[in-house]
Amino acid sequence: MHLLFVADPIASFKTHKDTTYTMMREATRRGHAITVCEPRHLRWQSGQQVMAQVRDIALTGDEKAWFTESAPRDAALADFDAVLMRKDPPFDAEFIYATHLLEQAEREGARVINKPAALRNHPEKLAVMEFPRFVGPTLVTRSPDDVKRFHAEHGDIVLKPLDGMGGMGIFRVGPDGLNLGSITETLNHHGATTFMVQKFLPEITAGDKRIILIDGEPAPFVLARIPQGSEVRGNLAAGGKGVAQPITEADRATARAIGAVLAPRGLLLIGLDIIGTKVTEINVTSPTGFREILDQTGCDVPGMFVDAVERAGR
């Protein structure tokens, strides 16, 4: 197969933990060809197919100088066996525009993973609204009065932007309500921006569990991201410690129920976040955690994913 990865600049990858790198490494091990581009390299012109300025890469086996690359060339997305959209959030207007270009490429015959319309229709934070029975108390609003009422009801809350990643912009406000007004103004930009508020889940001390779903089926191990020190965020980018552990039967059941709904929509890869027993986010843009699970347990999540890509590409 010939795979095109649409991703952030690959020179910025931290190969010791990067999931996209593990996908490329496994694909290369199987003899598949790897080509890359960034969303900014996509283009469409009337009378032509969706094109991109791409570079063919070869992996060296050295995780520092880990790739060599060809000179840039133009290629039609429909000419690849699969196009893997792996651009990190934020889920902003440029991301939306990229999904429209990728959707046009689908109409021309390209096979895009995850499906562009599904990426667009399932923003990370808001996708939980479809599954209220699995979600703890949650509010989506831009109203300071709504936030005050939610805080009065639940006492200890977490506030976060809808377009963040890696724990960016997350605040916790305890029963004293200290700085609630200021934090609300910061997140809603004085009423201009919608954001999310959730009841604080004390089970976070045991970790924010990342469950990897591939074609609707959860991997047998999860990555529990455990906050360190006084930090309330378990995100690895915020200093959390990633500990791989076997999936519980309760989490497996939750993951399968959600996967059964979302996988048929074209979401081949999902990163489901659970604290305690409550789903907090459904990540579909560029879920991570492959490398940590593989290194700590030997569970070949990259292999499971490339198996699914191969099946989808047939």
Side-chain angles (χ1 to χ4, degrees):
M1 296 179 71
H2 195 166
L3 307 179
L4 173 64
F5 286 81
V6 183
D8 291 300
I10 62 172
S12 68
F13 285 12
K14 297 179 174 62
T15 54
H16 67 280
K17 64 177 184 177
D18 193 277
T19 289
T20 304
Y21 168 73
T22 69
M23 294 174 176
M24 292 177 174
R25 186 175 65 178
E26 176 61 19
T28 295
R29 187 187 70 78
R30 299 184 186 203
H32 301 317
I34 304 297
T35 297
V36 300
C37 72
E38 300 168 34
R40 65 189 178 94
H41 295 134
L42 301 174
R43 74 174 189 273
W44 175 82
Q45 183 173 330
S46 56
Q48 299 181 14
Q49 294 179 301
V50 174
M51 306 288 291
Q53 185 182 77
V54 305
R55 291 169 294 145
D56 303 312
I57 68 168
L59 274 60
T60 65
D62 179 346
E63 292 197 0
K64 292 183 179 178
W66 64 274
F67 67 92
T68 60
E69 61 183 336
S70 71
R73 64 182 178 88
D74 287 338
L77 271 62
D79 289 343
F80 294 92
D81 295 298
V83 177
L84 284 73
M85 176 54 162
R86 291 288 301 171
K87 172 69 178 71
D88 284 344
F91 189 91
D92 57 10
E94 286 299 327
F95 188 91
I96 297 294
Y97 303 152
T99 67
H100 283 292
L101 287 164
L102 291 169
E103 194 169 17
Q104 174 60 24
E106 280 188 321
R107 288 189 282 268
E108 298 163 359
R111 189 180 301 276
V112 184
I113 301 170
N114 281 326
K115 194 173 178 64
L119 288 174
R120 193 166 60 245
N121 292 338
H122 299 84
E124 319 275 63
K125 309 293 192 298
L126 296 179
V128 302
M129 295 190 298
E130 188 174 354
F131 305 97
R133 68 189 177 104
F134 297 121
V135 177
T138 299
L139 168 69
V140 177
T141 187
R142 65 172 71 176
S143 165
D145 291 336
D146 289 345
V147 176
K148 290 176 184 176
R149 285 191 292 268
F150 189 86
H151 178 260
E153 179 180 358
H154 297 290
D156 199 350
I157 63 174
V158 172
L159 306 90
K160 52 188 174 182
L162 295 178
D163 61 354
M165 64 169 289
M168 180 180 62
I170 293 179
F171 298 89
R172 177 184 177 186
V173 176
D176 59 9
L178 190 64
N179 287 329
L180 180 60
S182 177
I183 291 169
T184 298
E185 291 171 2
T186 297
L187 290 175
N188 79 349
H189 298 93
H190 299 279
T193 305
T194 303
F195 63 104
M196 176 174 279
V197 190
Q198 294 175 313
K199 180 182 179 181
F200 175 74
L201 300 173
E203 295 90 343
I204 184 63
T205 57
D208 180 356
K209 294 171 287 185
R210 165 58 56 84
I211 299 172
I212 303 295
L213 284 118
I214 298 173
D215 204 12
E217 182 65 24
F221 288 85
V222 308
L223 185 67
R225 297 159 299 172
I226 302 171
Q228 300 297 294
S230 60
E231 183 59 73
V232 299
R233 300 170 297 174
N235 309 77
L236 301 185
K241 180 181 180 182
V243 178
Q245 52 192 228
I247 191 170
T248 67
E249 286 306 313
D251 287 347
R252 191 194 311 274
T254 297
R256 281 180 169 161
I258 293 174
V261 175
L262 298 184
R265 297 177 187 172
L267 293 171
L268 186 76
L269 177 60
I270 296 169
L272 189 67
D273 291 348
I274 294 181
I275 298 175
T277 61
K278 302 299 184 183
V279 174
T280 59
E281 293 185 14
I282 300 174
N283 297 273
V284 301
T285 52
S286 59
T288 61
F290 283 26
R291 183 68 188 262
E292 294 86 354
I293 292 173
L294 175 63
D295 287 351
Q296 293 182 36
T297 71
C299 178
D300 190 8
V301 184
M304 294 166 58
F305 176 72
V306 176
D307 284 343
V309 172
E310 290 175 341
R311 290 195 299 269
R314 290 175 185 155

